[in-house]
Amino acid sequence: IDGVLTVSASRVVLRGVGAAQSRLWFTRFDGMSYKSHLSFAGALKLTDEALLTVDGEARSHEITVADAAAYSVGDDVAVGFVITPEFVEEHAMTGTWMVFNDAWQVFFWRTVVKVEGDTLTLDVPLRYPVKLRDAASVRRVDGYLREVGVEDLGLANAVGWDDAWAQSQVHALSLRGVKDAWVRGVASYASPGAPDEGFAKGRHLQSGGIEVVQGKRVTIADTSFALPEHRGGGGNGYLFEVSQSSEVLVRDCVGDAGRHNFIQNWGFGATGIVWLRVHSSGGVAVAVKDLDFGLTGLSEFHHSLATANLIDQSTLDDGWGAVNRNAESSGSGHSSTQSAVWNPAGAGVVRSRQFG
């Protein structure tokens, strides 16, 4: 496939007969920075803002707003607030958190299951305080792709070594603005476009594997990605990447030889993510392209305050990080709070120094 494939309709499933039998080989590299070869792309639109009149409490299913007349059972909603100076100071991040300051950010993607007066009951509880101090509000969300999936396919997009390093954040598969979506039985494979010798021999991917952005109720299962070419800084070499999403399950998946094999990335609002029985190995943060070596790259929480997530029964041969990353990655600061690493195995290190 010499171009890109984009799915922009709901209830579309791309299905093969097995990752070793049904293979898609993507060859394009020019102009592919921050793009994906295979994309499921919703177009989210947030409207009908209603300000909260009572602080939303952690673990509560209910929020009370000034006027709930625009909302009905079944509505998809976003609950969020402004990253105010007070919120930043409360987390001791003054001078560190700056990219999203003074902007309203989604923290929770939810569905309304009950409307009673001006109180909305949500399908999943809030997992962090939502305060009037920070102009907390709810907004209706339209434009999801729903019930979309990828099954039993092989994916590869590795190209020439220099060509791969000339682009950044090229993903093989992207799920943006989706709900009730799934990926299962997908695997990367040695790209026919990779060189026959040198560092790139046998590589599978240009840079990224799969990303989930602004999605909810997404499952990635029985899937493996490995051997990206570009594992340098700037967001490259992330094999399983989740950003600004709620209720995502990644189970029985394998990530090998990425920069960060399993990662929460970029922005606030990553919550309810479960990595179950995943295997992370060979992570390397490459320092110099033409030497292709570097420090161990852990799977990790990478950006701002991923909230209440779980790594369960997973094998971590490189490791997992949940720490204050300070000024790294445009001021990621505290990367996680209230997240748990439960029953880990493997030879790697677990670094859990979370906010609070």
Side-chain angles (χ1 to χ4, degrees), residues 75 83 89 92 116 118 142 168 175 182 200 269 273-274 320 353:
D75 283 349
I83 306 302
E89 183 178 2
E116 188 171 3
D118 289 323
D142 296 299
S168 281
L175 303 176
W182 68 93
I273 306 165
V274 176
W320 198 288
R353 297 188 291 274

Side-chain angles (χ1 to χ4, degrees), residues 226-258:
L227 294 169
E229 294 171 294
H230 193 345
R231 297 183 290 177
N236 294 288
Y238 302 171
L239 298 183
F240 293 83
E241 180 178 353
V242 182
S243 303
Q244 303 171 7
S245 297
S246 298
E247 318 320 303
V248 176
L249 171 64
V250 182
R251 68 155 181 84
D252 301 298
C253 291
V254 175
D256 181 49

Side-chain angles (χ1 to χ4, degrees), residues 1-217:
I1 300 170
D2 293 327
V4 297
L5 294 179
T6 301
V7 176
S8 55
S10 293
R11 296 181 174 176
V12 175
V13 179
L14 300 185
R15 179 183 295 128
V17 297
Q21 293 80 32
S22 302
R23 288 179 162 179
L24 306 184
W25 169 30
F26 296 94
T27 63
R28 180 176 173 179
F29 60 87
D30 188 41
M32 283 299 296
S33 286
Y34 312 107
K35 297 178 182 177
S36 299
H37 282 104
L38 174 58
S39 299
F40 287 76
L44 300 189
K45 183 179 180 182
L46 277 62
T47 59
D48 294 320
E49 181 177 31
L51 292 171
L52 270 63
T53 57
V54 179
D55 286 347
E57 297 181 1
R59 296 187 292 279
S60 173
H61 283 81
E62 296 183 348
I63 56 174
T64 302
V65 298
D67 185 358
Y71 291 88
S72 302
V73 171
D75 283 349
D76 293 307
V77 296
V79 181
F81 51 86
V82 175
I83 306 302
T84 61
E86 293 80 8
F87 178 81
V88 174
E89 183 178 2
E90 183 177 64
H91 294 82
M93 287 285 99
T94 301
T96 299
W97 281 346
M98 292 185 284
V99 175
F100 302 97
N101 288 9
D102 302 316
W104 189 88
Q105 296 290 294
V106 177
F107 272 72
F108 308 104
W109 304 95
R110 298 291 187 259
T111 301
V112 176
V113 296
K114 182 180 179 181
V115 181
E116 188 171 3
D118 289 323
T119 297
L120 306 179
T121 302
L122 308 174
D123 60 332
V124 177
L126 307 176
R127 294 203 177 89
Y128 210 63
V130 178
K131 298 183 178 181
L132 303 186
R133 176 199 67 190
D134 303 319
S137 66
V138 59
R139 302 180 184 185
R140 183 201 312 281
V141 183
D142 296 299
Y144 281 110
L145 293 195
R146 68 187 190 281
E147 298 172 12
V148 293
V150 182
E151 302 179 3
D152 300 322
L153 285 173
L155 302 177
N157 64 3
V159 291
W161 185 253
D162 291 338
D163 292 333
W165 277 80
Q167 309 291 317
S168 281
Q169 298 187 33
V170 181
H171 287 85
L173 174 58
S174 176
L175 303 176
R176 284 180 172 260
V178 303
K179 67 174 183 176
D180 303 320
W182 68 93
V183 174
R184 62 187 179 201
V186 170
S188 63
Y189 66 95
S191 172
D196 295 328
E197 58 185 10
F199 293 136
K201 181 179 180 180
R203 296 294 177 100
H204 296 188
L205 303 166
Q206 285 184 41
S207 172
I210 181 173
E211 65 168 1
V212 179
V213 182
Q214 295 185 337
K216 67 176 181 179
R217 301 194 300 261

